Amino acid sequence: MEKLKFIHLTDTHMNAPHAQNHFSKLKLADKVSRVFAHIHANAISPAFVVITGDLSHEGDVQDYEYIRTIVDEGSARLGVPVYVVLGNHDHRAPFREGFLQEEPSEQPYYYSHTIQGVRLIGLNSQIKGHHHGEIDAEQLAWLEETLRTPAENGTIVALHHPLLTINGMPSEHLLANREQLGTVLEGTDVIGVVAGHVHTNNVGTYKGICSVAATGTAFAGEAAEDNQFKMVDFCGYNVISVFEEGITVQSIVLPGMQEEFFRFSMEAAAAHNE
Ligand SMILES: [Fe+2]
Ligand SMILES: [Fe+2]
C-alpha cells in the first residue's frame, strides 16, 4: 500500500528578475512556477515537495527573497510544504537572510521533518567556495543519532551531491565522503536518497538503498562528441511514491524543444573542480 507520494525537484538555478548572469535570461524561476502548475493540473496530490539544491545561481539576498516568493506560491498552490537543501551554487549567509529571514550565518542548513509517518532529512553538502560537496562531521554525528530511532514509514534523505556516478562524468561530481555517509545510512530505516547536481536522471542503489539524482527544472546535461558535455533546454520533475517495501520513481518531462544552451569539455570541468 502506498504511504504517500512526494515531488522531487532539483537544480532550479533561480535568480531575481533584475539579476544579470549567464542563466538569468533563461527565466528559470518561470520554469519552477510551470512545474508547480503542472503538478497541480495533473492532480498528483503530493504530501510534500523537496528541492535538492542549486536553488539559486550564485544568489544574493534579493535572489533568495525572490526564490522564497516562488516557493511560497508553489506551496500555496499545492497546499503542502516545500523543503529545500543547498547546492554548490547556493550561499549559506544570503540564503539564511533572504529565504529563511534569519540572521545571516555560515551555519550548515540541515533538518528532520516527519510528514504522515515519513521522515525527511535534509543535509547540507555544499561547502563555501567549492564545486564538490561533502557532509561535515557535525551533520554525520547528528544523522547517526537521529537515525537511531526509526520513523513509522521510513526515512528519505535529501542532499545536493549524488551518491552514484553517471556515465561520462568525472568522479568529482559525487559526494566526496559518500562512503562515510553510506556507512551511517546502511542498516537504518532510510529507504531513499534524493539528490541533484548532475542535471541528469540517474537511479540505482548505494549500500542497498535506492539512490536518485534528478534532471531538474533548469536544463539537462547530455554527453556529446569529443569528450564534451552539452546542456539542453529541459524542465521536469520526479514523483516518488513511498511503499511499505521501498520507493518508486516516475520522471515527468514538460514539453520543450530541447534546444542546446551551451557545452563544455569534460577536461575543463575536471580542472574547474580542483
Ligand atoms: Fe546545478
Ligand atoms: Fe550543483
Side-chain angles (χ1 to χ4, degrees):
M1 195 180 75
E2 185 182 280
K3 303 291 185 187
L4 59 77
K5 56 171 76 75
F6 69 93
I7 302 296
H8 176 203
L9 301 184
T10 197
D11 291 80
T12 53
H13 287 265
M14 291 183 273
N15 288 107
H18 67 269
Q20 292 289 330
N21 69 37
H22 197 52
F23 294 103
S24 54
K25 64 180 182 297
L26 302 175
K27 302 205 177 308
L28 298 174
D30 291 354
K31 286 182 154 185
V32 177
S33 297
R34 275 179 62 206
V35 163
F36 281 118
H38 195 270
I39 296 163
H40 185 253
N42 288 20
I44 292 171
S45 302
F48 64 90
V49 177
V50 61
I51 311 179
T52 51
D54 285 355
L55 309 171
S56 83
H57 197 76
E58 314 303 345
D60 59 17
V61 175
Q62 287 73 36
D63 290 311
Y64 283 109
E65 284 172 347
Y66 179 70
I67 291 167
R68 183 61 193 255
T69 67
I70 298 291
V71 166
D72 283 351
E73 279 171 19
S75 176
R77 187 186 278 255
L78 299 178
V80 297
V82 177
Y83 302 102
V84 303
V85 302
L86 299 181
N88 55 296
H89 290 290
D90 289 308
H91 301 287
R92 296 180 188 183
F95 166 77
R96 285 195 175 275
E97 188 174 349
F99 191 92
L100 299 180
Q101 277 130 43
E102 290 179 356
E103 286 299 307
S105 87
E106 291 296 327
Q107 281 297 307
Y109 178 64
Y110 60 97
Y111 53 80
S112 170
H113 295 293
T114 300
I115 312 105
Q116 297 172 28
V118 172
R119 177 168 52 191
L120 173 70
I121 292 181
L123 297 176
N124 191 149
S125 63
Q126 160 268 359
I127 312 164
K128 189 173 185 175
H130 292 278
H131 193 76
H132 78 278
E134 65 181 23
I135 304 299
D136 62 24
E138 172 187 316
Q139 291 179 74
L140 286 173
W142 171 83
L143 182 62
E144 196 169 359
E145 183 59 34
T146 302
L147 292 175
R148 277 190 220 284
T149 310
E152 183 187 345
N153 291 326
T155 295
I156 301 290
V157 172
L159 77 170
H160 183 63
H161 293 81
L163 305 186
L164 297 174
T165 190
I166 66 164
N167 184 32
M169 269 215 169
S171 61
E172 287 81 1
H173 66 277
L174 293 170
L175 184 75
N177 60 342
R178 67 174 181 156
E179 184 68 39
Q180 266 185 304
L181 178 65
T183 301
V184 173
L185 301 183
E186 207 171 13
T188 67
D189 72 336
V190 174
I191 49 176
V193 176
V194 295
H197 189 52
V198 287
H199 291 249
T200 304
N201 259 318
N202 194 35
V203 182
T205 54
Y206 184 71
K207 306 279 187 187
I209 300 167
C210 185
S211 185
V212 183
T215 307
T217 67
F219 42 80
E222 291 178 10
E225 66 276 13
D226 301 327
N227 200 29
Q228 291 195 315
F229 211 72
K230 61 182 180 183
M231 306 309 268
V232 301
D233 191 7
F234 179 93
C235 186
Y237 59 93
N238 284 351
V239 182
I240 301 189
S241 300
V242 176
F243 295 90
E244 188 97 40
E245 62 273 21
I247 64 172
T248 65
V249 182
Q250 180 191 12
S251 295
I252 308 287
V253 180
L254 270 61
M257 297 303 290
Q258 299 206 277
E259 170 197 352
E260 183 172 332
F261 285 152
F262 56 92
R263 64 175 65 195
F264 54 85
S265 79
M266 296 311 293
E267 282 167 8
H272 175 77
N273 287 338
E274 282 165 7

